[in-house]
Amino acid sequence: MNNGNSIEDTEEQLSSSKGAYFFIILRLSLVFIVLCGVIYPLTTTALAQVLMPSQANGSLLKNDAGVVVGSELIGQNFTNPALFHGRVSSIEYKAEASGSNNYAPSNPDMLQRTKDFITQWQLDNPDVPVNKLPVDLVTNSGSGLDPHITPGSAIVQIPRISNLTGIPATQLEELVNKHTEGRDLGLFGEERVNVLKLNMDLLKLSNK
């Protein structure tokens, strides 16, 4: 009898413990849901809005009229020959489809795309020989969204833009130099030019 009572007592204790553990787990789950799902996101969002509102809202750029014209983090497909052009983008700079085809150098599609671009370059830039064409203007970035080109890629476009806008080449060179960003922390990456920012200032010059 004693052994039977002991087993029954043990089963009751286990059942009671399971119920207690269940409510402990439930309370902990609710605490972490509120903490991680509500308090933490609201706190980080509020801090970001106070400390770095521009970056928190997408690093958007506005023109003089206050209209958003894009983000400094995402490139655009500029086709107007009177503007600076960015890198090739196989996804047309669509942020929801980030990525590239990752073609090998021998891929027929990539070779044809490169040939087509070079042909168009020769038509648009008759004053600049193909051997002066920087490689980043005919290659896709890893994301397909790169908003930057090298300073050299901006410089080689100056003759075309100068002819179409009437802006002296020296003034356009000064504009490119103004928008040339250095290496991060002076060590990482390469010098680069944000094409959207450059074109925004170019339009101001053109409208003067």
Side-chain angles (χ1 to χ4, degrees):
M1 292 294 294
N2 289 337
N3 290 337
N5 289 335
S6 296
I7 292 174
E8 290 176 359
D9 291 342
T10 301
E11 289 178 347
E12 288 179 4
Q13 290 174 0
L14 288 173
S15 178
S16 176
S17 297
K18 287 179 180 179
Y21 287 142
F22 172 78
F23 286 107
I24 290 173
I25 293 171
L26 181 61
R27 288 196 297 270
L28 282 174
S29 298
L30 291 174
V31 168
F32 281 108
I33 287 172
V34 173
L35 181 63
C36 299
V38 179
I39 295 176
Y40 176 75
L42 289 177
T43 301
T44 54
T45 299
L47 286 173
Q49 290 294 334
V50 172
L51 298 177
M52 49 184 70
S54 175
Q55 294 88 333
N57 291 308
S59 299
L60 302 178
L61 296 175
K62 298 179 180 180
N63 60 20
D64 290 339
V67 178
V68 174
V69 294
S71 168
E72 64 179 281
L73 303 177
I74 299 176
Q76 295 186 26
N77 188 24
F78 296 103
T79 57
N80 185 341
L83 295 176
F84 288 94
H85 296 171
R87 300 187 65 173
V88 175
S89 175
S90 56
I91 59 171
E92 297 297 321
Y93 290 105
K94 295 178 181 178
E96 70 274 14
S98 174
S100 66
N101 296 321
N102 200 28
Y103 287 147
S106 59
N107 183 277
D109 290 339
M110 193 193 76
L111 289 174
Q112 187 59 51
R113 183 187 71 187
T114 303
K115 289 178 182 177
D116 292 342
F117 186 90
I118 291 174
T119 299
Q120 189 61 48
W121 171 267
Q122 290 174 309
L123 293 174
D124 294 339
N125 304 271
D127 298 325
V128 182
V130 173
N131 62 1
K132 299 294 184 181
L133 176 60
V135 68
D136 60 303
L137 282 182
V138 295
T139 55
N140 194 103
S141 68
S143 66
L145 304 175
D146 192 351
H148 299 98
I149 55 177
T150 59
S153 293
I155 293 295
V156 295
Q157 299 183 61
I158 286 178
R160 179 192 77 237
I161 296 171
S162 181
N163 289 334
L164 293 172
T165 62
I167 300 173
T170 53
Q171 196 169 358
L172 291 172
E173 289 176 10
E174 291 175 1
L175 192 64
V176 171
N177 291 333
K178 171 187 172 184
H179 284 279
T180 298
E181 304 171 15
R183 298 170 182 265
D184 294 330
L185 302 178
L187 298 172
F188 305 106
E190 300 293 335
E191 289 187 338
R192 56 200 180 274
V193 178
N194 188 291
V195 183
L196 176 56
K197 289 182 178 179
L198 180 62
N199 281 331
M200 289 175 69
D201 270 4
L202 173 59
L203 288 173
K204 291 179 183 178
L205 280 178
S206 301
N207 294 330
K208 284 184 177 180

